Amino acid sequence: MKLQEFHAKRLLLAQSLPIPAYDVAETADEARRAAESYLAGGAERVVIKAQVLVGGRGKAGGVKLASTPDEAEQVATQILGMDIKGTTVSRVLIAPAADIAREYYLACVLDRSSRRIMLMGSAEGGVEIEDVAANNPAAIKKIHAHPHLGLLDYQARQMAFALSLGGPHVRDFVAIALGTYRTMIDNDADLVEINPLAVVREVAADGSTRESLQCLDAKITIDDSALARHPELELMRDLAEEDPVDVAAREQGISFIRLDGTIGCMVNGAGLAMTTMDLIKRAGGQPANFLDIGGGAKSERVAAAMSLILADAHVRAILVNIFGGIARGDEVAHGLVEARGQQERHVPMVVRIVGTNAEEAARILAESGDPDIQTAATLDDAVARVVAIASAAPVSA
Ligand code: GDP
Ligand code: MN
């Protein structure tokens, strides 16, 4: 689950990371009032930023500066309602604008290949890290945290030196890097990214200037499987920006992952679902999804699974592969027939149900009289038939 910047910053603030004050506004008027208060408080300018879950907001025109309340209102009017990569902006963040001297990149990521948390840093911050990785991979420094001891002070210092930070910044950087790591651990995140981590110039009341490190942007993704442990984070979920199909799947307790093929799969059990996908591939077909309907699948869940599969216009045939244990075959068969009745789009379906009440399931499907439902006695037969249908069928949208 991705968090919006203003939520991510809240988690970083909880670890005492340096973040400029900010407000969130849903209307241009609210944005104006927030700007007024920062400008009256001594800020020369404010920054107004679209709150959307896609990256590269700056380049898309979703991050702008303003020097007066009027200008802030204008800019907020422009950004609110703006479309950024398919997402409509409904909120902006307003903060006193930082006077940036240099921009760095800092992130903690879960490095699956080494099974450790990895600290990544670059002196080429501000731009998207994928671009740095493509054009100048040597500019990205990586350090792995110890699996038991965590990220150690000396490792954070090594990163500071690798980024050529000096003087008082080293100490501050170490605190920020360790705080980033703690944010990762405490929230079961798989990414905590600060880009830019900026050296910011500040003018004191006596006119002297000093520089400090500030986290100007924050991106956090939480491991979905750990959300049960973090009800407070679940509340930060932004349903408006999630794929409605994913939202529906989660509500029904169905594990569903969309893929690019043409054969929809409805299977019970994650292992059987993976095996089914392997068999489809081996027979020359392409699965359109991974779908584990879960244990004891009732007809309502079967119908919901059918809707998820059919929401994908690329699906040309469906393979239903159910091993009846706790899930009863007749229950699933009833669910399939009912679901067919509710769907506007009909695609051919090959059903293989074995185990508990399999004979009854076959009878229910036969009696439905639906010409698009075929039953298969073996998995190999089912796979061969569904692949043949999907290869022959025209794309129906
Ligand atoms: P992103 O494009 O979605 O990553 O949004 P960011 O918050 O990282 O902003 C993009 C760029 O806008 C940053 O790299 C900065 O160059 C600039 N920017 C963001 N905040 C400020 C600010 O407070 N002051 C100034 N001068 N520039 C900023
Ligand atoms: Mn950024």
Side-chain angles (χ1 to χ4, degrees):
M1 178 182 80
K2 290 185 183 175
L3 298 185
Q4 295 286 1
E5 177 186 4
F6 69 98
H7 283 138
K9 283 184 167 171
R10 205 192 284 168
L11 300 188
L12 295 179
L13 281 169
Q15 305 290 350
S16 309
L17 265 61
I19 291 173
Y22 63 89
D23 268 306
V24 178
E26 292 183 3
T27 66
D29 192 49
E30 280 170 27
R32 179 197 177 91
R33 272 180 277 139
E36 257 165 15
S37 110
Y38 289 129
L39 293 167
E44 259 180 52
R45 292 181 297 177
V46 290
V47 61
I48 299 174
K49 307 171 71 176
Q51 295 298 285
V52 287
L53 294 177
V54 290
R57 296 166 301 167
K59 256 190 257 167
V63 178
K64 292 221 158 76
L65 300 172
S67 319
T68 65
D70 278 345
E71 199 187 340
E73 187 176 337
Q74 267 171 31
V75 168
T77 306
Q78 232 177 63
I79 296 179
L80 286 164
M82 177 187 273
D83 179 284
I84 298 183
K85 300 180 187 168
T87 303
T88 307
V89 181
S90 63
R91 277 177 299 209
V92 289
L93 177 149
I94 302 120
D99 180 6
I100 300 174
R102 281 185 305 282
E103 296 184 299
Y104 295 87
Y105 175 94
L106 178 67
C108 266
V109 298
L110 183 63
D111 179 20
R112 292 176 196 276
S113 59
S114 67
R115 292 168 293 155
R116 290 172 193 218
I117 291 175
M118 180 168 78
L119 188 70
M120 281 173 62
S122 174
E124 304 204 1
V127 295
E128 286 190 54
I129 198 66
E130 290 81 4
D131 296 340
V132 182
N135 303 328
N136 189 8
I140 302 174
K141 166 89 178 159
K142 301 170 178 175
I143 294 177
H144 288 93
H146 189 280
H148 299 309
L149 304 176
L151 183 71
L152 299 168
D153 288 28
Y154 86 90
Q155 295 182 301
R157 271 195 300 279
Q158 276 179 346
M159 181 60 85
F161 298 140
L163 304 189
S164 307
L165 283 160
H169 295 324
V170 174
R171 195 194 55 219
D172 294 344
F173 178 87
V174 168
I176 293 169
L178 296 178
T180 306
Y181 176 80
R182 269 198 315 276
T183 305
M184 181 98 170
I185 297 292
D186 286 5
N187 299 289
D188 288 312
D190 40 35
L191 169 75
V192 178
E193 183 187 83
I194 302 168
N195 186 26
L197 168 65
V199 172
V200 171
R201 291 188 212 92
E202 288 158 316
V203 184
D206 65 1
S208 65
T209 59
R210 63 181 287 270
E211 286 187 343
S212 71
L213 280 171
Q214 301 273 332
C215 309
L216 297 189
D217 187 13
K219 195 194 250 180
I220 294 181
T221 61
I222 308 291
D223 182 340
D224 283 308
S225 304
L227 275 170
R229 307 207 293 199
H230 303 283
E232 76 290 356
L233 298 180
E234 180 68 52
L235 295 176
M236 296 177 174
R237 189 184 283 287
D238 202 325
L239 290 178
E241 274 195 62
E242 289 193 1
D243 186 331
V245 172
D246 292 340
V247 175
R250 199 168 48 243
E251 277 170 4
Q252 289 290 336
I254 297 170
S255 307
F256 179 83
I257 294 159
R258 193 178 280 179
L259 303 165
D260 337 306
T262 55
I263 300 174
C265 303
M266 189 189 303
V267 189
N268 65 337
L272 190 58
M274 285 193 277
T275 307
T276 307
M277 290 164 54
D278 283 349
L279 289 174
I280 289 175
K281 283 234 173 196
R282 194 177 64 174
Q286 296 293 335
N289 63 276
F290 167 94
L291 190 158
D292 172 10
I293 198 162
K298 294 282 182 206
S299 60
E300 187 193 321
R301 191 117 53 91
V302 172
M306 184 78 82
S307 304
L308 297 176
I309 293 172
L310 289 174
D312 179 351
H314 297 103
V315 170
R316 298 187 200 175
I318 298 174
L319 174 58
V320 178
N321 184 17
I322 301 291
F323 188 86
I326 298 168
R328 285 168 32 208
D330 55 325
E331 183 89 45
V332 173
H334 273 305
L336 290 174
V337 174
E338 262 169 52
R340 294 295 272 203
Q342 296 161 11
Q343 302 295 338
E344 287 165 21
R345 191 162 83 88
H346 278 201
V347 300
M349 191 160 87
V350 180
V351 184
R352 180 241 182 188
I353 297 178
V354 293
T356 313
N357 295 356
E359 295 79 18
E360 185 145 4
R363 189 181 53 77
I364 292 165
L365 293 174
E367 283 176 4
S368 75
D370 186 330
D372 279 338
I373 299 183
Q374 302 183 20
T375 52
T378 70
L379 185 48
D380 284 335
D381 179 33
V383 168
R385 281 206 250 161
V386 81
V387 170
I389 295 169
S391 330
V395 189
S396 62

